């Protein structure tokens, strides 16, 4: 199978590309990525040179570039990861999320329709369900109640993708995953930011009371689930992918401090995120029942692997932090006091 991966230089996309190339189950992978601040070809340095992999530098919202790739590569399937993925950035500046998550997804769907692509997997998020009060958990029929420009743009793109099945019979499935963590995650997200600050003895900025709950999913477990949906998922269906590991943010931070041997005095309360979702909660029952997938990595083991990776890849962190990262970091945390 020839697969066009979008956003393959980002955190989850690079893990998926690495897995597909290493395990040799894809005949060819084409990675289409704009290389925004979050895209980094260093993330794929360990796959080496292989005729089974090709990188194309382009914007998914550029119709001419996208159609050129569909025409020359004739992919059998599209796995669509590319997105502006950070909630805080979408709050500071929503336009990039609308451009990529909505217009970019539309451009890809149109090209997939025109070039009669056999399979399209749209990668989405549990954030589209919004904040969920305990003890409820969202299944795939739960109402969409997105809170941030990021999650609203993802919810819109989910509906658009599903409409291409209903209207044009494009073979689309949508996945909605919970919070991922693991190696190569850009250090603007909670776990890599806290690890990287803890390793440098810097303050760990906790939004509000730190009691917001997220469900943690190890990135390779997520990628295995995506492969299963690609191969066994049904047209027009949505599949939740959760980590079965719901924890308040402060508990996650305490575990990071314990594993890095750093003091709790590094924890610093800062102003809350506007519109902050209190709790995400998913049920995986559909994916488990229909496809037989479940997460394999325990949180404590995954966190240890992740911390070891950040300790051993200090240069990678320094490089990604040297550019645009610092500007946003200063803007975001200066405003929070
Ligand atoms: P990321 O920010 O690490 O990577 C995004 C990638 O997309 C980067 O390589 C970037 O260069 C590329 N990109 C951005 N705009 C583009 C454009 N216009 N054209 C082409 N490439 C572009 O994101 P991630 O955390 O790996 O998330 C990947 C996908 O998974 C996203 O769709 C996100 O919504 C979804 N998701 C993420 C999580 C999570 O916890 N990180 C959880 C659930 C779902
Ligand atoms: O749930 C899936 C989503 O998870 C994905 O769709 C998004 O792409 C991904 O970014 C992530 O969104 P969150 O907003 O949940 O992730 P983030 O790492 O930004 O924040 C996790 C929690 O930690 C959230 O409650 C906010 C809090 N937080 C975050 C940062 C960066 C802090 O308390 N301090 C911080 O400095």
């Amino acid at each position: 199978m020839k697969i066009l991966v979008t956003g393959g230089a980002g955190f989850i996309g690079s893990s998926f590309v690495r897995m597909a190339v290493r395990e040799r189950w894809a005949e060819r992978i084409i990675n289409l990525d704009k290389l925004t601040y979050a895209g980094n070809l260093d993330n794929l340095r360990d796959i080496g040179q292989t005729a089974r992999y090709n990188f194309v530098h382009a914007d998914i919202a550029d119709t001419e570039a996208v159609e050129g790739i569909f025409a020359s590569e004739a992919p059998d399937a599209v796995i669509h990861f590319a997105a502006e993925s950070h909630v805080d950035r979408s709050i500071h500046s929503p336009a990039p999320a609308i451009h990529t998550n909505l217009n970019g997804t539309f451009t890809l769907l149109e090209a997939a329709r025109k070039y009669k692509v056999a399979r399209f997997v749209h990668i989405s998020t549990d954030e589209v369900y919004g904040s969920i009060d305990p003890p409820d958990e969202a299944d795939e029929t739960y109402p969409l109640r997105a809170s941030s420009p990021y999650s609203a743009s993802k919810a819109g793109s989910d509906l658009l993708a599903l409409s291409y099945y209903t209207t044009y019979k494009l073979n689309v499935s949508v996945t909605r995953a919970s919070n991922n963590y693991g190696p190569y995650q850009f250090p603007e997200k909670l776990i890599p930011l806290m690890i990287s600050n803890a390793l440098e003895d810097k303050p760990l900025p906790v939004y509000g009371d730190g009691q917001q709950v997220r469900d943690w999913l190890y990135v390779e477990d997520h990628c295995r689930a995506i492969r299963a949906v690609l191969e066994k998922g049904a047209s027009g269906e949505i599949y939740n992918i959760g980590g079965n590991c719901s924890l308040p943010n402060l508990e996650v931070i305490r575990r990071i401090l314990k594993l890095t041997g750093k003091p709790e005095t590094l924890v610093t309360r800062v102003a809350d995120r506007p519109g902050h979702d209190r709790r995400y909660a998913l049920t995986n029952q559909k994916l488990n029942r229909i496809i037989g997938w479940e997460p394999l990595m325990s949180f404590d083991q995954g966190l240890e692997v992740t911390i070891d990776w950040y300790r051993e890849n200090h240069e990678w962190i320094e490089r990604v932090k040297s550019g645009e990262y610092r500007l946003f970091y200063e803007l975001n945390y200066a405003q929070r006091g």
Side-chain angles (χ1 to χ4, degrees):
M1 193 190 300
K2 266 197 203 178
I3 302 175
L4 174 63
V5 168
T6 70
F11 164 50
I12 306 171
S14 64
S15 176
F16 185 86
V17 169
R18 198 175 308 112
M19 191 178 87
V21 170
R22 266 199 200 141
E23 295 175 5
R24 306 178 81 89
W25 56 263
E27 172 198 336
R28 186 165 165 81
I29 300 264
I30 306 107
N31 174 11
L32 161 54
D33 199 299
K34 185 180 178 182
L35 299 181
T36 65
Y37 77 93
N40 183 354
L41 290 177
D42 271 359
N43 297 359
L44 290 165
R45 65 195 162 192
D46 55 353
I47 67 169
Q49 292 286 334
T50 159
R52 288 183 297 119
Y53 169 76
N54 184 28
F55 172 69
V56 183
H57 187 195
D59 186 328
I60 56 163
D62 178 342
T63 305
E64 207 180 315
V66 167
E67 288 200 356
I69 297 164
F70 279 76
S72 62
E73 293 279 1
D76 304 300
V78 177
I79 316 280
H80 175 32
F81 293 96
E84 285 291 335
S85 70
H86 193 38
V87 173
D88 292 319
R89 282 180 189 262
S90 84
I91 292 170
H92 285 284
S93 171
I98 304 305
H99 170 82
T100 294
N101 305 356
L102 281 172
N103 292 335
T105 302
F106 167 63
T107 308
L108 283 170
L109 288 165
E110 272 295 273
R113 176 164 85 97
K114 183 167 170 184
Y115 287 87
K116 300 187 173 25
V117 167
R119 187 88 179 100
F120 194 110
V121 181
H122 174 66
I123 307 301
S124 191
T125 167
D126 62 358
E127 292 207 14
V128 298
Y129 300 123
S131 200
I132 297 176
D133 290 333
D136 287 1
E137 291 182 329
D139 68 9
E140 291 79 357
T141 64
Y142 202 82
L144 300 183
R145 279 197 306 237
S147 308
S148 69
Y150 161 72
S151 49
S153 67
K154 292 296 289 188
S157 66
D158 289 13
L159 294 179
L160 198 57
L162 291 168
S163 80
Y164 272 64
Y165 165 67
T166 310
T167 311
Y168 306 115
K169 298 294 169 249
L170 186 70
N171 183 0
V172 175
S173 299
V174 171
T175 63
R176 292 182 178 150
S178 62
N179 283 61
N180 282 221
Y181 70 102
Y184 296 103
Q185 187 168 27
F186 196 79
E188 66 189 356
K189 307 281 165 57
L190 181 77
I191 287 186
L193 175 75
M194 297 299 160
I195 294 174
S196 139
N197 280 14
L199 292 176
E200 294 177 32
D201 297 303
K202 287 189 177 152
L204 308 190
V206 176
Y207 295 172
D209 65 4
Q211 292 306 319
Q212 303 84 4
V213 171
R214 297 292 184 267
D215 172 15
W216 294 100
L217 172 66
Y218 191 67
V219 64
E220 288 180 7
D221 277 334
H222 185 190
C223 291
R224 272 192 309 107
I226 292 167
R227 180 186 175 189
V229 170
L230 168 71
E231 292 174 348
K232 300 179 200 158
S235 298
E237 291 291 324
I238 302 165
Y239 299 93
N240 286 348
I241 309 175
N244 292 342
C245 175
S246 290
L247 290 172
N249 294 337
L250 260 178
E251 174 58 24
V252 171
I253 292 166
R254 287 204 182 102
R255 292 194 197 186
I256 291 172
L257 287 171
K258 196 164 169 220
L259 287 167
T260 51
K262 301 292 179 173
E264 294 218 359
T265 49
L266 287 179
V267 173
T268 309
R269 297 282 170 94
V270 297
D272 209 349
R273 174 184 279 173
H276 199 168
D277 286 331
R278 196 75 186 155
R279 174 175 176 267
Y280 297 139
L282 282 181
T283 165
N284 281 329
Q285 278 172 9
K286 181 174 174 182
L287 193 65
N288 187 267
R289 192 179 64 246
I290 296 176
I291 298 187
W293 174 91
E294 58 186 345
L296 297 178
M297 182 69 101
S298 74
F299 186 63
D300 285 334
Q301 196 191 348
L303 201 52
E304 249 186 272
V305 171
T306 305
I307 291 173
D308 285 349
W309 188 88
Y310 281 90
R311 269 192 217 282
E312 286 158 18
N313 287 275
H314 190 69
E315 275 179 27
W316 181 92
I317 302 180
E318 281 314 302
R319 265 201 308 278
V320 301
K321 277 186 168 182
S322 64
E324 200 267 346
Y325 174 85
R326 204 160 294 282
L327 289 177
F328 181 75
Y329 189 89
E330 280 164 16
L331 173 74
N332 189 32
Y333 295 99
Q335 283 183 0
R336 291 178 192 280

